Amino acid sequence: MSTAALDDVSGAPLRRVVLTGLGVVSSIGIGVDEFAASLRAGRSGAGPISQFDTTGFAHSNGCEVVGFEPEQWISNLDLENVGRASRFSVAAARMAVADAGLEAEELASQRGLVCIGTTDGESHDLDQLVEIELRDGHESMPTAVAGRVSPLRLSISIAQELGLADVEATVIATACAAGNYAIGSGFDAVRTGEVDYALCGGADAICRKTFTGFYRLGTMAPDVCRPFDKDRKGILTGEGAGVLMLESLESALARDARIYAEVLGYGLNCDAYHQVAPHQESVTRCMELALRDAGVDPSQVDMISAHGTGTKANDITETRAIRDVFGDQPPRTVSMKSMLGHTLGAASALAAIGCALAITNKFIPPTINHVTTDPECQIDCVPNEAVEAELEIVQNNGMAFGGNNAVVILGKYKSEVAAR
């Protein structure tokens, strides 16, 4: 399965779509300013996991969100009925709306889309319910926790908190590429005029189920994540949320909004090649689809935000796919997961925000914890220190179990459409 560019199938005039608001909850910063500063500084979110009992695991580092106070962002919902991942998504959405210079009341009368990608939904709560059931019996499970485990709560809670009455609230569960899937969905909805705005992104909370799964696969790093390094040991699970405000260029200009970047296009495909192993040709094809949708030649791309998990299978396959598309001199290719850990459904949304900030603030974030590049990963991963750069076009890769790939292309906003 793969997408085709909309203008190939509908013939309808498409609107330009821009990013005007960003909301971030992450292990390296809450809010867009703190997040941007951390990306530039190359800060690590790694540390001991505290959200569940890690007794029995030989190593237990992760990238948790600390210092998050949901009551700062959630005022209309009863926090007892909102799970940890939904708290992240609602807070990030509230930040994105404010960052866009909007009030929730202004959006209430407009047609909108809320689309959040996730891997685990509220599995953090499911972990607790299972633990209580095994220890005390099912009759002891808290009803409030049981009532908030539906993954749909990640988007519905946003609509409820913000009072959005004319909105479609959806969740996309394509695992670690889900954030890019959500952005692509919002891009289509805005560029076709189906909606006036879209709040899109991803959210996940760290949980024992997924940590244990990766641990049993032998892919969990003991200390830190070292993408593209010859001595990498694997991933660190992380958590957080990234939500982006998408609206038409006409709308943004009419209200004199700040524009972080323009969404130029995206590509999706699913190869179903293997449950966990990426497929080089499929990843290559997905990047080609995204570039074609954006009308961008590979030579015009200035930076790639790689999926970059820090596993041998991912890093080598993704690097080879990048070289398939970009040749022997690919653009600088970085992994923000070296700082954020693998935030699963939030990963490509947070990386898309990082890409938009890189364009706006004129820098390329580093790949930290890097010592020696794997000879099988022939890229410039910008080791350990950010570099200053004028970026016109950036590419954000997302890949997921089951062969779900999603790539988003962002560009520096220009009043005139440049020939691409």
Side-chain angles (χ1 to χ4, degrees):
M1 183 274 286
S2 62
T3 62
L6 271 181
D7 54 357
D8 287 344
V9 297
S10 69
L14 301 176
R15 303 192 294 183
R16 295 174 67 183
V17 180
V18 293
L19 303 177
T20 56
L22 308 174
V24 176
V25 178
S26 81
S27 61
I28 63 169
I30 297 172
V32 66
D33 292 339
E34 192 173 331
F35 185 64
S38 293
L39 289 178
R40 186 186 284 275
R43 295 187 181 124
S44 172
I49 290 174
S50 65
Q51 287 296 314
F52 57 87
D53 183 2
T54 58
T55 301
F57 295 100
H59 43 264
S60 54
N61 267 7
C63 293
E64 290 184 346
V65 174
V66 296
F68 174 63
E69 298 175 348
E71 59 276 9
Q72 288 190 12
W73 311 101
I74 303 173
S75 56
N76 297 323
L77 298 175
D78 184 347
L79 284 174
E80 187 180 16
N81 298 322
V82 184
R84 185 170 175 84
S86 296
R87 293 180 183 188
F88 291 160
S89 70
V90 173
R94 178 73 83 175
M95 293 177 203
V97 170
D99 190 48
L102 291 163
E103 299 289 341
E105 292 75 15
E106 297 176 69
L107 300 178
S109 60
Q110 299 181 40
R111 298 168 302 155
L113 170 69
V114 177
C115 186
I116 302 298
T118 190
T119 294
D120 285 319
E122 294 292 4
S123 291
H124 177 77
D125 282 338
L126 285 172
D127 283 350
Q128 297 180 51
L129 291 172
V130 171
E131 181 178 345
I132 292 170
E133 182 180 22
L134 291 175
R135 186 184 62 231
D136 304 323
H138 64 85
E139 64 278 4
S140 299
M141 293 192 293
T143 55
V145 176
R148 67 194 196 192
V149 296
S150 168
L152 291 173
R153 297 293 303 167
L154 271 65
S155 58
I156 291 173
S157 295
I158 293 173
Q160 291 175 328
E161 169 66 21
L162 299 178
L164 307 177
D166 191 5
V167 67
E168 180 183 7
T170 63
V171 168
I172 296 179
T174 47
C176 307
N180 269 357
Y181 269 80
I183 294 169
S185 178
F187 177 56
D188 280 344
V190 174
R191 68 171 163 171
T192 58
E194 181 181 345
V195 299
D196 300 314
Y197 70 91
L199 284 167
C200 299
D204 260 309
I206 205 163
C207 68
R208 179 163 45 203
K209 172 186 71 70
T210 297
F211 176 86
T212 305
F214 281 115
Y215 193 95
R216 292 293 299 273
L217 284 170
T219 58
M220 197 68 74
D223 47 7
V224 296
C225 179
R226 302 178 178 85
F228 310 119
D229 193 287
K230 74 177 183 64
D231 293 321
R232 63 186 169 276
K233 303 295 184 183
I235 74 167
L236 289 183
T237 53
E239 62 178 1
V243 174
L244 304 88
M245 170 64 78
L246 283 67
E247 62 182 301
S248 70
L249 176 60
E250 292 83 354
S251 168
L253 293 178
R255 62 185 191 85
D256 196 26
R258 171 189 48 202
I259 296 174
Y260 284 101
E262 181 172 0
V263 185
L264 301 179
Y266 75 103
L268 313 176
N269 66 359
C270 180
D271 52 71
Y273 164 71
H274 190 274
Q275 186 172 358
V276 298
H279 187 261
Q280 180 179 338
E281 292 180 5
S282 177
V283 176
T284 299
R285 176 62 176 152
C286 192
M287 288 189 276
E288 292 172 341
L289 285 168
L291 292 167
R292 189 183 75 180
D293 188 39
V296 168
D297 185 85
S299 64
Q300 296 175 285
V301 176
D302 299 309
M303 182 192 93
I304 298 173
S305 169
H307 189 59
T309 59
T311 66
K312 186 173 183 178
N314 175 92
D315 290 358
I316 293 175
T317 302
E318 186 175 17
T319 300
R320 288 174 176 170
I322 287 170
R323 291 174 68 86
D324 285 345
V325 176
F326 293 91
D328 294 337
Q329 299 293 325
R332 286 166 167 155
T333 300
V334 303
S335 171
M336 298 185 208
K337 291 182 179 68
S338 62
M339 294 177 268
L340 292 160
H342 198 334
T343 55
L344 308 174
S348 51
L350 286 168
I353 290 173
C355 289
L357 292 171
I359 292 172
T360 303
N361 296 324
K362 303 179 180 179
F363 75 101
I364 298 179
T367 301
I368 67 169
N369 308 316
H370 197 80
V371 178
T372 306
T373 301
D374 184 340
E376 295 191 77
C377 298
Q378 295 182 24
I379 54 169
D380 176 359
C381 69
V382 188
N384 302 316
E385 293 188 7
V387 297
E388 303 301 312
E390 288 276 354
L391 302 173
E392 299 282 337
I393 296 175
V394 300
Q395 174 177 307
N396 185 39
N397 287 358
M399 299 152 57
F401 284 175
N404 286 300
N405 305 308
V407 176
V408 168
I409 308 294
L410 301 180
K412 182 178 181 180
Y413 165 65
K414 296 180 178 178
S415 57
E416 300 296 327
V417 179
R420 295 188 175 111

